[in-house]
Amino acid sequence: MMKMKNNIFKTLFLAAAAISFASCSEWTEPESVGFHYTTLEEKNPELYKAYFQSVRDYRDSEHKVVIAKFDNKSTTLAGRAEHITCLPDSVDYIILYNPEVSAAIADEMREVRELKGQKVLYQIEYKTIENEYKDYAEAWNDAHPPVEGEEAAPADPADTLISLNNYVSEAVKARTAYLSEYGYDGVNIVFSTKNPASCTEEALAELKTAQAAFLAPIAEAIAANPDALVFFEGTPQFVLENAEIVENADYLIIPATTAVNESELSYELGLVNRYGNIPADRFIVSVTVRSLEDPALTDGTFSGLDRKGREKTAIIGAAEWTAKPVQGVVKAGIAVENAQNDYYNLSLVYYSIREAISIMNPSPIK
């Protein structure tokens, strides 16, 4: 397998360079003034086809995976960084934050799937739904101020405040419909829950009910879509209800966006794997790109310098950590939060992600 992969990379290196040069390596999008630049697809269609066949072959080979979590826009795309087609070819999976995609992103989902073999997922996050419920409950309470002498239960069920668990369950059901509506390849479940060992008997029963409210509708959707990819991000070791979701997940993503060194990454891995009650052969560590809006935020940075003498990003640090084997567990790759922000680099678009790919999988297609 390695020999085949190396032959592919050597044979098609020039095609990769040509395509990369002609695609999304520009910072701006100048308006057309009537010029037409011949693309590699037009100039050498056979080489173009061969290159992307090699990309799809790479996808099927044994390698450390890269997941790009992408903050997609629901409105018109304004720049190259907002296009998922501009992500490096060796990115394996794309997770969209906004599941209700624009027509432009829907077209690009089909393109990256057919041309590069990349898979596109969306995420269902418990915390997001919980925050929505808080807004709903606050608005409901404002619209229904207590009246002295009023009955506890209104005659009209519509005037009854929906419980958190019922709200969560219905919200999840609505979100699982996006799987088929937009033709996604799968779903990323983002769920962090309490440690059952810290709960009283009553609290444990409440915890199980809350878990079921979120996970049971997802389990139903997975059963109805058996070919869908399933990633689980959060605290899989604490899941009691619908635990088959964790057991059968394709990857288990460990949030580590505040980690600044390899020891902290190992600590986060240890927390998730400490009980030995979940699969240990599919761990992904999740880091983030440094904020473009607030330079004071240090999330996304790592201690030390990278191999080119630059400030080390968390992406590169996580890649170096992932490339080092550990007995008893499999570090299957990395996930990158807000991957679109890595586009902006003076030397090379998506510099950190490309460097991470090279570290984990020497001589890949970038």
Side-chain angles (χ1 to χ4, degrees):
M1 183 66 73
M2 183 60 68
K3 183 177 180 181
M4 178 192 75
K5 187 171 73 170
N6 288 338
N7 287 338
I8 290 171
F9 296 147
K10 290 177 182 178
T11 303
L12 299 172
F13 174 78
L14 292 177
I19 291 173
S20 178
F21 179 78
S23 59
C24 295
S25 59
E26 301 300 326
W27 269 71
T28 59
E29 287 184 290
E31 294 185 7
S32 173
V33 291
F35 294 108
H36 174 72
Y37 297 95
T38 303
T39 65
L40 181 63
E41 182 179 13
E42 295 169 323
K43 188 175 181 179
N44 195 329
E46 292 304 316
L47 186 58
Y48 179 87
K49 291 179 181 179
Y51 168 73
F52 281 109
Q53 182 59 55
S54 75
V55 172
R56 295 189 293 272
D57 290 342
Y58 166 74
R59 201 80 60 219
D60 294 331
S61 68
E62 184 178 347
H63 64 282
K64 301 289 187 183
V65 304
V66 174
I67 301 171
K69 301 186 73 177
F70 200 91
D71 189 7
N72 56 302
K73 309 296 182 183
S74 58
T75 55
T76 302
L77 305 183
R80 301 312 303 170
E82 296 180 4
H83 291 264
I84 62 174
T85 51
C86 289
L87 285 163
D89 296 341
S90 285
V91 167
D92 297 277
Y93 304 100
I94 303 167
I95 297 176
L96 300 183
Y97 291 147
N98 179 8
E100 297 181 271
V101 298
S102 64
I105 290 294
D107 288 341
E108 292 192 359
M109 286 169 58
R110 287 188 288 270
E111 180 179 339
V112 299
R113 183 183 298 115
E114 295 170 5
L115 192 63
K116 304 179 184 180
Q118 292 172 327
K119 304 296 185 182
V120 185
L121 301 84
Y122 70 103
Q123 66 182 33
I124 300 177
E125 183 177 20
Y126 181 86
K127 189 66 177 179
T128 298
I129 298 174
E130 185 181 47
N131 288 337
E132 290 175 2
Y133 178 79
K134 290 177 181 178
D135 292 339
Y136 153 75
E138 182 178 352
W140 190 94
N141 286 322
D142 289 343
H144 300 79
V147 178
E148 187 175 353
E150 185 179 76
E151 294 182 8
D156 185 357
D159 286 336
T160 303
L161 179 66
I162 301 171
S163 70
L164 172 60
N165 287 338
N166 286 340
Y167 185 97
V168 167
S169 182
E170 292 304 313
V172 172
K173 289 176 184 177
R175 282 165 165 78
T176 57
Y178 297 138
L179 187 61
S180 57
E181 181 178 351
Y182 292 101
Y184 281 103
D185 296 296
V187 61
N188 181 42
I189 304 160
V190 184
F191 186 51
S192 292
T193 184
K194 293 180 181 178
N195 185 346
S198 66
C199 294
T200 62
E201 185 175 345
E202 181 180 358
L204 182 61
E206 293 176 355
L207 179 67
K208 289 182 177 180
T209 301
Q211 288 188 5
F214 181 70
L215 295 174
I218 294 176
E220 292 177 7
I222 293 171
N225 298 273
D227 294 331
L229 293 166
V230 178
F231 300 170
F232 189 100
E233 177 178 352
T235 54
Q237 72 275 26
F238 297 149
V239 171
L240 301 177
E241 298 298 303
N242 302 104
E244 71 277 4
I245 295 176
V246 171
E247 294 165 5
N248 298 325
D250 295 279
Y251 292 110
L252 300 177
I253 301 177
I254 304 171
T257 55
T258 61
V260 296
N261 56 51
E262 293 191 4
S263 295
E264 292 185 4
L265 293 179
S266 296
Y267 175 76
E268 296 295 341
L269 173 60
L271 288 179
V272 173
N273 194 49
R274 65 185 299 183
Y275 300 107
N277 61 335
I278 58 175
D281 60 347
R282 62 199 73 171
F283 287 124
I284 299 282
V285 66
S286 178
V287 292
T288 188
V289 182
R290 190 165 187 174
S291 172
L292 298 178
E293 290 76 29
D294 189 354
L297 293 177
T298 58
D299 289 0
T301 61
F302 226 62
S303 58
L305 301 176
D306 67 17
R307 59 186 184 180
K308 295 184 179 179
R310 306 182 185 189
E311 178 184 62
K312 186 181 292 186
T313 65
I315 300 170
I316 293 174
E320 292 174 342
W321 174 83
T322 299
K324 299 174 183 176
V326 176
Q327 188 174 4
V329 300
V330 174
K331 294 184 284 186
I334 66 171
V336 180
E337 296 272 359
N338 293 304
Q340 73 285 344
N341 289 346
D342 191 44
Y343 179 89
Y344 300 100
N345 191 283
L346 290 174
S347 60
L348 180 67
V349 298
Y350 289 112
Y351 166 77
S352 292
I353 292 177
R354 294 177 189 276
E355 183 73 1
I357 292 168
S358 296
I359 291 168
M360 295 190 297
N361 304 295
S363 301
I365 305 167
K366 300 183 199 175

